[in-house]
């Protein structure tokens, strides 16, 4: 049976198709067309690849780490690492796709780009449909264009051609945002909204299990999931939503936060002290004494875990002298003793947050002929705008957050009238708080070590808040445009 579509529905459908095609081209241009782009291995890949039987093909440290993207990986034995990330689920999909499409004796990392892209495109289709239906064609397409410019930027998308957990985190956040704003459309059939609610929970689980630090955001996802669930289901049906959102997400987050393998917790503590506290300290000897650590280790100030001789850092003497003495609580106490150190760390991090691409990791293969640590210039308008210090100072960053909080307060207490409005505002507030938690977790967990990469999720969440602000300004402008003629009409009637 053929369904007759109205002209408006036909235009919306055409917009959805064009949006998907444009997004597919941007993704293919960056991830598939030579020279392909990705992000070089910083030493993290083995955590997720070795358990799945994937190994580097390079014998050169310079070629394997930091400088260049390594495209082809060889198969080997499955080696347990006591580490799990939901990114491994997508690697399994990549392995299946590679065996079907690539027909090669090696694993082509482009398979990861294809998997991430195939998963992203349905979200873009749904997002386009939702934006046009909720905001109208003019405002909806403006917001969609901004989303493309910002979130399809090379600073984010190059992670799709990698094994980094940031890839599944970005993909999950895209689905979580899309599912959230679509679920708030009360005109959708209940069955469709229930399906979207399931998708929300699925990607919430994928997100918090992608990386231990990201599990810190589970309470926000649990709350948003609960609020969305209540808006979809009747009151008596919503009890299982509370149980699912709070119990499942909270328990998984606790497991991931407390279940960090010992070695990973150790190098986080090492970096927090030597790449964090001591970088801001005018006298590293004194600070080490205050923390109960032998001051002879002051020579390590400014170094990260991987820059130190493994025989030394893994020795029993250093284990007793440092790792057995220092906990994250000790690090926190040292920052309390010297709040100026933490202020300096914040300043350094805010200055670094203007960049999306890490200054320590290259984007191209060595065979592409670029110098080491060359960044992609394929689709990087947003990266270039950010690098011009749009967000590069503490005052500007503070103003940005104050504007967002003001928008939340005005909307909540002066504009919101319905449950849907209230949930929208709560989501905005959760995003703001979540970005700050990620920011401070990066500082406490790793100091200045690879700070640009560790702030990627902070930047993503902050960019989402920027999109929300723009959408609210467009809404305000539209309402002012409508209100002015009405006011004028009312005045003329009074005169008459």
């Amino acid at each position: 049976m053929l369904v007759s579509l109205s002209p408006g529905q036909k235009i919306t459908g055409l917009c959805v198709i064009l949006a998907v095609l444009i997004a597919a081209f941007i993704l293919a241009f960056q991830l598939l067309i030579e020279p392909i782009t990705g992000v070089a291995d910083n030493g993290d890949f083995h955590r997720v690849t070795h358990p799945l039987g994937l190994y580097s093909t390079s014998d050169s440290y310079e070629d394997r780490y930091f400088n260049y993207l390594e495209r082809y990986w060889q198969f080997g034995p499955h080696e347990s690492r006591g580490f799990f990330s939901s990114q491994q689920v997508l690697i399994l999909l990549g392995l299946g796709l590679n065996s079907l499409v690539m027909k090669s004796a090696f694993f082509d990392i482009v398979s990861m780009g294809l998997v991430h892209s195939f998963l992203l495109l349905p979200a873009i289709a749904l997002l386009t449909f939702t934006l046009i239906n909720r905001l109208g064609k003019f405002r909806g397409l403006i917001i969609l264009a901004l989303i493309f410019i910002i979130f399809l930027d090379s600073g984010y998308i190059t992670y799709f051609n990698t094994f980094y957990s940031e890839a599944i985190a970005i993909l999950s956040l895209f689905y979580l945002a899309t599912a959230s704003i679509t679920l708030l459309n009360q005109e959708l059939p209940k069955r469709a909204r229930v399906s979207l609610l399931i998708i929300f929970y699925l990607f919430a689980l994928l997100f918090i299990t992608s990386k231990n630090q990201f599990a810190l955001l589970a309470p926000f996802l649990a709350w948003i999931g609960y609020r969305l669930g209540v808006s979809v289901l009747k009151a008596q049906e919503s009890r299982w939503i509370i149980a699912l959102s709070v119990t499942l997400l909270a328990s998984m987050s606790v497991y991931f936060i407390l279940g960090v393998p010992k070695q990973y917790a150790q190098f986080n503590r090492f970096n927090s002290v030597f790449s964090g506290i001591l970088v801001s300290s005018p006298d590293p000897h004194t600070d080490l004494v205050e923390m109960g650590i032998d001051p002879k280790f002051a020579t390590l100030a400014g170094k990260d875990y991987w820059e130190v001789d493994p025989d030394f850092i893994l020795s029993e003497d250093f284990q007793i002298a440092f790792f057995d003495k220092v906990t994250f609580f000790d690090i926190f106490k040292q920052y309390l003793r010297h709040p100026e150190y933490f202020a300096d760390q914040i300043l350094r991090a805010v200055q670094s947050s203007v960049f999306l691409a890490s200054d320590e990791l290259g984007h191209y293969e060595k065979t592409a002929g670029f110098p080491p640590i060359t960044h992609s210039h394929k689709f990087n308008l947003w990266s270039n705008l950010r690098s011009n210090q749009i967000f590069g100072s503490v005052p500007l960053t503070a103003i940005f957050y104050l504007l967002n909080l003001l928008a939340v307060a005005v909307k909540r207490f002066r504009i919101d009238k319905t449950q849907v409005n209230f949930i929208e505002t709560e989501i905005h507030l959760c995003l703001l708080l979540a970005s700050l938690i990620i920011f401070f977790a990066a500082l406490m967990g790793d100091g200045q070590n690879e700070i640009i990469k560790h702030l990627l999720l902070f930047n993503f969440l902050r960019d989402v808040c920027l999109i929300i602000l723009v959408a609210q300004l467009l809404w305000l402008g539209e309402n002012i445009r409508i209100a002015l003629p009405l006011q004028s009409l009312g005045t003329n009637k009074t005169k008459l």
Side-chain angles (χ1 to χ4, degrees):
M1 180 179 177
L2 295 176
V3 179
S4 178
L5 298 177
S6 67
Q9 290 174 324
K10 291 179 180 179
I11 293 174
T12 299
L14 180 62
C15 289
V16 170
I17 293 171
L18 286 175
V20 171
L21 289 175
I22 292 170
F25 173 77
I26 295 171
L27 292 168
F29 179 61
Q30 296 186 73
L31 303 173
L32 307 179
I33 297 175
E34 299 283 356
I36 67 164
T37 59
V39 183
D41 183 7
N42 68 346
D44 286 351
F45 284 3
H46 72 277
R47 302 182 193 180
V48 292
T49 59
H50 287 190
L52 299 178
L54 288 174
Y55 293 81
S56 169
T57 55
S58 176
D59 296 324
S60 167
Y61 181 92
E62 288 73 21
D63 294 347
R64 181 175 176 180
Y65 298 114
F66 300 104
N67 295 319
Y68 301 103
L69 171 68
E70 187 170 4
R71 178 169 181 172
Y72 296 104
W73 292 70
Q74 59 190 335
F75 298 100
H78 294 246
E79 183 181 300
S80 177
R81 289 274 170 176
F83 179 86
F84 172 78
S85 167
S86 55
Q87 182 63 25
Q88 290 171 294
V89 176
L90 298 196
I91 296 175
L92 287 172
L93 293 178
L95 284 166
L97 182 64
N98 188 82
S99 64
L100 290 173
V101 178
M102 302 304 177
K103 305 294 185 182
S104 169
F106 295 93
F107 179 83
D108 189 341
I109 207 162
V110 165
S111 299
M112 295 306 302
L114 286 169
V115 167
H116 291 119
S117 298
F118 286 151
L119 289 173
L120 180 62
L121 290 176
I124 287 176
L126 180 59
L127 180 64
T128 305
F129 173 82
T130 302
L131 288 175
I132 291 175
N133 277 275
R134 292 201 63 196
L135 302 180
K137 293 180 181 62
F138 177 71
R139 283 189 291 147
L141 291 177
I142 287 178
I143 295 299
L144 185 67
L146 284 175
I147 289 171
F148 277 24
I149 291 170
I150 292 174
F151 297 111
L152 297 186
D153 185 272
S154 62
Y156 293 123
I157 294 302
T158 46
Y159 280 90
F160 279 16
N161 261 350
T162 73
F163 300 117
Y164 285 117
S165 56
E166 281 78 3
I168 182 64
I170 289 171
L171 184 66
S172 296
L173 285 174
F174 209 100
Y175 266 94
L176 289 169
T178 301
S180 296
I181 63 173
T182 307
L183 276 166
L184 294 175
N185 183 358
Q186 302 290 323
E187 297 178 0
L188 281 180
K190 183 176 177 180
R191 180 175 296 181
R193 298 178 74 205
V194 170
S195 299
L196 282 169
L197 192 62
I198 294 171
I199 290 173
F200 179 93
Y201 278 112
L202 171 63
F203 280 96
L205 280 173
L206 289 173
F207 176 78
I208 65 174
T209 56
S210 62
K211 197 172 185 177
N212 300 92
Q213 296 93 315
F214 299 164
L216 293 170
L217 303 190
F220 297 107
L221 293 175
W223 175 252
I224 294 171
Y226 164 67
R227 293 288 282 146
L228 291 172
V230 171
S231 75
V232 172
L233 303 173
K234 296 178 181 178
Q236 61 267 29
E237 295 177 320
S238 63
R239 292 180 181 177
W240 70 272
I241 294 292
I242 301 174
L244 182 64
S245 64
V246 175
T247 304
L248 186 58
L249 294 180
S251 60
M252 288 299 292
S253 67
V254 170
Y255 171 77
F256 261 73
I257 292 171
L258 299 180
V260 180
K262 180 180 178 181
Q263 183 190 3
Y264 302 149
Q266 285 185 342
F267 67 64
N268 285 145
R269 296 202 305 275
F270 181 95
N271 290 336
S272 294
V273 173
F274 295 102
S275 293
I277 291 173
L278 299 190
V279 168
S280 301
S281 169
D283 186 4
H285 288 80
T286 301
D287 281 283
L288 289 176
V289 171
E290 289 177 349
M291 297 180 71
I293 305 169
D294 194 326
K296 70 180 181 182
F297 297 130
T299 55
L300 299 176
K303 293 185 177 181
D304 66 57
Y305 185 92
W306 305 108
E307 291 179 301
V308 182
D309 182 1
D311 292 334
F312 170 77
I313 207 167
L314 296 175
S315 67
E316 185 177 354
D317 289 342
F318 193 74
Q319 176 72 41
I320 296 171
F322 181 79
F323 291 123
D324 290 350
K325 289 185 176 181
V326 179
T327 66
F328 280 113
F329 183 65
D330 296 315
I331 295 167
F332 180 69
K333 286 194 300 183
Q334 190 65 9
Y335 277 126
L336 288 180
R337 290 191 196 102
H338 299 281
E340 70 275 13
Y341 294 177
F342 201 58
D344 179 65
Q345 289 289 298
I346 291 173
L347 176 62
R348 292 170 183 264
V350 169
Q351 290 172 342
S352 297
S353 71
V354 300
F355 304 106
L356 295 179
S358 171
D359 57 357
E360 300 178 5
L361 302 170
H363 287 175
Y364 290 98
E365 294 179 88
K366 186 176 183 179
T367 55
F370 294 102
I373 315 183
T374 298
H375 292 156
S376 171
H377 302 292
K378 284 190 168 187
F379 192 79
N380 65 338
L381 175 61
W382 184 237
S383 288
N384 287 336
L385 289 173
R386 291 178 64 96
S387 64
N388 290 328
Q389 306 299 313
I390 288 179
F391 293 126
S393 71
V394 171
L396 280 178
T397 301
I399 290 170
F400 176 79
Y401 275 90
L402 287 173
L403 284 174
N404 275 271
L405 290 173
L406 178 63
V408 166
V410 170
K411 188 173 183 298
R412 175 63 179 81
F413 297 109
R414 300 299 299 271
I415 299 174
D416 291 350
K417 303 296 183 184
T418 67
Q419 183 189 46
V420 168
N421 298 147
F422 294 147
I423 295 174
E424 289 172 344
T425 304
E426 289 169 19
I427 291 173
H428 189 181
L429 182 59
C430 283
L431 287 169
L432 286 171
L433 297 177
S435 68
L436 292 174
I437 286 177
I438 290 295
F439 180 85
F440 290 114
L443 292 184
M444 289 296 296
D446 244 355
Q448 296 300 310
N449 176 53
E450 292 189 290
I451 189 63
I452 296 175
K453 178 177 177 292
H454 293 154
L455 290 178
L456 185 76
L457 190 66
F458 162 74
N459 282 321
F460 190 96
L461 293 171
R462 190 169 61 171
D463 285 344
V464 174
C465 291
L466 176 64
I467 292 290
I468 293 173
L469 270 184
V470 173
Q472 290 175 342
L473 287 173
L474 288 173
W475 175 87
L476 184 63
E478 181 70 12
N479 279 268
I480 291 174
R481 184 183 68 81
I482 294 172
L484 287 177
L486 291 176
Q487 276 187 338
S488 176
L489 181 62
T491 303
N492 291 335
K493 284 183 177 180
T494 303
K495 290 179 179 180
L496 290 172

